[in-house]
Amino acid sequence: MKRIALLAGTLGALIAGGVLHLLGAGPAGDAVWAGGTVLALAPAVWWVASALRAGRLGVDAIAVLALAGALAVREFLAGALIAVMLAGGRVLEDYALRRARRDLTALYERAPRSARRYEEGVPRLIGAEEVRLGDRLLVPGGELVPVDGVVESGVALLDESALTGESLPVEHRAGESVASGVVNAGQAFDMRATATAGDSAYAGVVRLARETEAGSAPVVRLADRFAAWFLPATLLLAGGAWLISGEPVRAVAVLVVATPCPLLLAAPAAIASGLSRTARQGVVVKGGGALETLGRARTLVLDKTGTLTEGRPQVMDVVAAPGGNPDEVLRLAAAVDQMSSHVLAAAIVRAAHGRRLALPTPEDVSEAPGTGTSALVKGRRVQVGKATGARCSPWEAAQRARAALDGAMTVWITVDDQVSGVILLRDAVRGDAGRTLRRLRAAGIERVVMLTGDRADVAETVAGVLGIDRVLAEQTPAAKVEEVRDEARRATTMMVGDGINDAPALAVADVGVAMGARGAAASAQMADVVLTADRLDRLADAMDVARRTRRIAVQSAGAGMALSLLAMAAAAVGALPPSAGAVLQEAIDVTVILNALRALRPVRGTRLPLDRPTSELLRRFEREHADLRRPLERIREVADRLGLRDPREALADLRDIHTFLTRDLLPHEHDEEARLYPAMARLLRDPEATVTMSRAHAEIDKLVRRLGRHLDLAADDGPRPEQLDDLRACLYGLYAVLTLHFAQEEEAYFSLASSSL
């Protein structure tokens, strides 16, 4: 408010003095202009003194000399103009560079505040700070673990995402350690405290956040970067003009036109425009310093869960036991799980609804902690959860091996004590992650690091898909802070995360970015940049804006300085008096500010331009992909069962697959070839851009024809034994080519439509 008042005072003095001069009261007008000059001189001196105490000598010193010089040589109009320019520059700078306070309220509020301690065999509610070492505690379902401890009885199924980033619940048996601040995602269990609340894991996260926030460096104004050479050059030129001419007014004229308003006004105007532009795209950037640093980032550090992945488990596959039906397996599992609040149960129910399966109402439902849920479904006893049988058939062993290779979690379904199938769940990679990382590399990112608390095998799988340079898995919050600090020592580093466990690391990065739509509030408050939409591609948009904004700011300041140097030369030889120089300086200011406001305009940057017809075409084929994906799984299922079932049943399965391929899938692929690929070639401006995709279409056609020939050769009672090996190869080949081809199209093409503005 003080700076706004200063601007109002100096502007009022300039206008009032001008009015008095027009009315013929010249001396009174000069007095008012002098008053406006003095009004700006006092705070300008204070700003220079503050900069000197901080070890910096900014270009504000030129403004002080110009104001004092104008008063000394009685160039009052020039002084009043400089005062207005200086005050206006400070107001704009405040608007552009104000940093949001990093409020830790959400982090503190989530800290465990209560516990249930056993007293005389009965759990009693107490404050978390009252827990002592060795206390026996009850942790009900859905509540926070109050302190660090060990599981004493029962099985603890914990959502540890707040501390580790792991999206899937982790099971802890009796005698295993558990950390404070995690959520009991299962049934109640007993634990024994091994630390007080102040010494527990979550309290350590809070302390880390406080320490790292205090170490954040202040933002240095763009103008100060020019001071090292511009200030001494100005003083030498002004002194030389005075010395050679013997006229102090020339020195004042040089100082007037040298007043660095192009720096004080143009750069903040460009930055403020950039902040406005990012806000329109769903990105909140907390100040001009953060925007500028975002544009200079060279290393990108990302959390995995919720950042590169969707952040919630999803059904990856439903595999029926030999002779079973995957839809029936999912239907029975979802029927039981609709009565459970377990995070995996919710994923299974979502998958069943996605397939439009009708779910019967279960009876006699019971849930066993750490094991699963059991219920009667139309007279059959259905159990959903962990495998309970001691024996493991070859089929079950194969599914477990596949789950380990895929980094997936398994949920087994048994019907009347017989294994009916297994559901594999995984936290899917974001559809826009691959394209976003490529765009960020194009925008200047040279190194991409994944930093996660998740298991190494899961992290490596995601990193392999996305082409990440370095993977750091199973990291604690403290280790994350040290790794980010290490990366920041090498290059300007940007950290992206969404969990409470990411908040300290976000604070120590040069620029922290929080996925604010679903992420923890603490991360959003500790970050410099918050993505309000749950879209990673918005980060690439923000970096495009940041780079363009910084370029425009430097261009505006540079052009203004060049024009000022020419004016300084003219003033030094006596061709430009102080008042005329001040007016010229104002004209220069207007020019560079108008140029700076170009940052408000939309920027394409690394985003491909997408017209409406192409966007609609992409969305149409994307919807068709979603409908075709589920039948693709049946191709592998038929291949798995080939030779194990009755030949007549195998022949019926093969004919069903062939009908799906020729009636549904091939027309889709041919339509893509005829309509989508030419549109993509035009969009990418490269006729060769879709060649590899067309080659995949040719391979799919060839394999479908091969399957058709096998059906022609098969007898009425099924394929002959000598056909089985080639049939399996044909089916597995089709499944592999189609799965890869679908993934390539979704990442390379369909992600364009989902990320269009």
Side-chain angles (χ1 to χ4, degrees):
M1 292 300 295
K2 290 181 180 179
R3 294 186 176 183
I4 294 176
L6 176 63
L7 176 60
T10 54
L11 186 59
L14 177 63
I15 295 172
V19 171
L20 288 171
H21 271 273
L22 290 174
L23 295 175
D30 287 342
V32 173
W33 283 340
T37 305
V38 172
L39 184 63
L41 183 59
V45 170
W46 174 255
W47 296 333
V48 172
S50 299
L52 287 172
R53 284 198 300 271
R56 297 183 288 112
L57 180 60
V59 289
D60 287 335
I62 299 176
V64 170
L65 294 174
L67 289 168
L71 289 174
V73 299
R74 304 182 65 80
E75 289 285 347
F76 301 120
L77 173 59
L81 288 168
I82 297 169
V84 171
M85 290 188 291
L86 190 63
R90 283 294 180 168
V91 170
L92 281 176
E93 185 182 39
D94 282 347
Y95 173 76
L97 303 181
R98 186 181 303 118
R99 299 288 299 272
R101 289 188 60 193
R102 290 175 172 173
D103 186 10
L104 299 176
T105 302
L107 186 62
Y108 304 149
E109 286 183 350
R110 194 191 178 281
R113 300 190 182 280
S114 62
R116 298 177 187 273
R117 181 170 62 193
Y118 281 99
E119 297 180 1
E120 298 179 354
V122 178
R124 176 173 169 266
L125 188 65
I126 61 172
E129 69 279 359
E130 298 179 46
V131 176
R132 298 293 177 259
L133 296 181
D135 282 352
R136 184 170 174 238
L137 308 173
L138 170 69
V139 184
E143 290 195 7
L144 292 170
V145 175
V147 296
D148 294 351
V150 295
V151 179
E152 189 165 88
S153 65
V155 177
L157 192 67
L158 303 178
D159 175 4
E160 300 182 346
S161 57
L163 288 178
T164 68
E166 168 62 69
S167 61
L168 298 178
V170 180
E171 185 179 282
H172 295 270
R173 296 187 175 276
E176 295 182 356
S177 298
V178 294
S180 64
V182 301
V183 179
N184 182 6
Q187 295 295 310
F189 67 93
D190 292 341
M191 63 172 286
R192 186 75 63 177
T194 59
T196 63
D199 294 331
S200 292
Y202 196 83
V205 173
V206 173
R207 284 193 297 271
L208 276 171
R210 284 172 171 160
E211 293 168 3
T212 52
E213 182 190 28
S216 299
V219 178
V220 180
R221 293 186 298 132
L222 179 64
D224 291 330
R225 300 176 189 173
F226 292 84
W229 65 268
F230 188 71
L231 177 58
T234 300
L235 295 177
L236 284 173
L237 183 59
W242 187 356
L243 181 64
I244 294 173
S245 67
E247 299 175 6
V249 71
R250 290 197 184 186
V252 173
V254 170
L255 293 172
V256 167
V257 294
T259 301
C261 289
L263 292 174
L264 297 175
L265 295 176
I271 291 171
S273 300
L275 294 174
S276 175
R277 187 73 238 167
T278 57
R280 295 179 195 175
Q281 297 176 336
V283 182
V284 176
V285 182
K286 298 179 181 178
L291 187 71
E292 186 183 354
T293 306
L294 182 64
R296 294 188 290 108
R298 292 296 174 265
T299 298
L300 173 64
V301 181
L302 303 112
D303 177 43
K304 180 186 74 69
T305 305
T307 301
L308 291 173
T309 63
E310 296 291 345
R312 61 177 184 172
Q314 293 182 351
V315 172
M316 184 179 94
D317 196 8
V318 180
V319 185
N325 184 310
D327 279 352
E328 180 65 11
V329 169
L330 180 60
R331 188 177 72 87
L332 292 174
V336 175
D337 273 345
Q338 65 184 326
M339 308 304 293
S340 172
S341 59
H342 196 287
V343 63
L344 298 183
I348 291 171
V349 173
R350 283 198 307 270
H353 288 160
R355 297 190 185 188
R356 297 181 176 84
L357 300 179
L359 304 184
T361 302
E363 301 175 349
D364 189 22
V365 180
S366 63
E367 191 166 359
T371 300
T373 306
S374 173
L376 282 174
V377 180
K378 292 188 175 180
R380 294 184 293 175
R381 174 59 62 179
V382 180
Q383 291 178 301
V384 182
K386 294 185 62 176
T388 56
R391 294 185 304 166
C392 181
S393 68
W395 177 83
E396 291 176 68
Q399 303 313 313
R400 293 185 183 188
R402 178 191 170 192
L405 290 171
D406 290 342
M409 184 176 239
T410 55
V411 174
W412 296 86
I413 296 88
T414 62
V415 179
D416 294 331
D417 296 326
Q418 296 294 319
V419 175
S420 176
V422 62
I423 299 175
L424 285 77
L425 299 101
R426 188 170 59 189
D427 194 6
V429 175
R430 287 177 178 268
D432 59 348
R435 176 171 293 280
T436 298
L437 291 184
R438 291 193 295 273
R439 288 182 58 196
L440 288 168
R441 289 186 187 274
I445 293 296
E446 299 168 354
R447 174 179 168 85
V448 180
V449 179
M450 180 194 291
L451 187 61
T452 179
D454 211 342
R455 303 194 313 269
D457 56 341
V458 177
E460 292 285 356
T461 300
V462 174
V465 171
L466 298 176
I468 289 171
D469 300 316
R470 186 187 182 199
V471 178
L472 297 168
E474 301 177 20
Q475 300 290 306
T476 64
K480 287 186 176 185
V481 169
E482 290 306 315
E483 292 294 348
V484 173
R485 278 184 175 144
D486 184 57
E487 293 293 341
R489 292 186 193 104
R490 303 177 188 176
T492 303
T493 298
M494 172 169 49
M495 165 73 186
V496 186
D498 77 325
I500 289 176
N501 61 300
D502 299 320
L506 292 175
V508 299
D510 294 306
V511 58
V513 181
M515 304 289 291
R518 290 190 297 108
S523 292
Q525 291 166 350
M526 292 296 290
D528 302 292
V529 179
V530 180
L531 308 183
T532 58
D534 191 24
R535 299 272 297 275
L536 187 61
D537 65 300
R538 293 298 187 244
L539 177 58
D541 294 334
M543 194 166 180
D544 286 340
V545 172
R547 292 173 69 234
R548 182 170 181 263
T549 298
R550 186 169 183 269
R551 184 169 62 249
I552 289 174
V554 172
Q555 286 174 351
S556 300
M561 294 308 300
L563 293 172
S564 293
L565 288 172
L566 291 175
M568 288 165 62
V573 299
L576 196 63
S579 296
V583 174
L584 177 61
Q585 185 65 38
E586 285 285 9
I588 294 173
D589 293 344
V590 171
T591 301
V592 296
I593 289 173
L594 289 175
N595 183 68
L597 291 177
R598 290 191 299 117
L600 277 172
R601 293 162 51 189
V603 53
R604 191 185 83 186
T606 55
R607 181 185 293 277
L608 284 173
L610 195 62
D611 57 76
R612 183 176 294 276
T614 305
S615 178
E616 291 175 352
L617 196 63
L618 286 168
R619 294 183 189 279
R620 173 206 150 188
F621 283 108
E622 184 179 27
R623 289 192 296 269
E624 291 183 10
H625 260 216
D627 293 336
L628 292 170
R629 263 199 175 278
R630 185 162 61 90
L632 288 185
E633 297 299 324
R634 182 157 169 74
I635 298 175
R636 190 184 64 190
E637 293 165 7
V638 170
D640 290 341
R641 295 197 299 262
L642 200 61
L644 302 177
R645 302 181 63 189
D646 181 271
R648 290 185 180 85
E649 293 179 351
L651 182 61
D653 287 342
L654 291 169
R655 284 173 175 165
D656 286 345
I657 292 295
H658 189 260
T659 299
F660 158 71
L661 292 170
T662 55
R663 184 190 62 195
D664 301 324
L665 188 133
L666 286 184
H668 165 85
E669 303 295 339
H670 295 160
D671 201 13
E672 283 185 333
E673 191 72 41
R675 300 185 62 194
L676 179 63
Y677 288 7
M680 295 310 302
R682 289 192 299 271
L683 177 67
L684 300 173
R685 298 180 181 179
D686 181 4
E688 300 293 313
T690 61
V691 168
T692 55
M693 298 295 188
S694 296
R695 181 66 182 84
H697 281 171
E699 185 66 20
I700 293 166
D701 278 335
K702 184 180 76 172
L703 288 171
V704 172
R705 287 195 300 270
R706 191 179 189 90
L707 177 60
R709 286 196 293 270
H710 270 294
L711 291 175
D712 292 339
L713 293 173
D716 291 339
D717 57 354
R720 295 191 295 270
E722 62 269 21
Q723 289 183 268
L724 295 182
D725 287 343
D726 193 73
L727 269 170
R728 287 194 197 93
C730 181
L731 291 173
Y732 284 133
L734 264 171
Y735 178 77
V737 172
L738 285 169
T739 301
L740 176 62
H741 182 61
F742 271 41
Q744 288 175 322
E745 286 187 328
E746 287 165 5
E747 181 178 329
Y749 298 160
F750 302 152
S751 63
L752 290 172
S754 62
S755 65
S756 61
L757 293 173

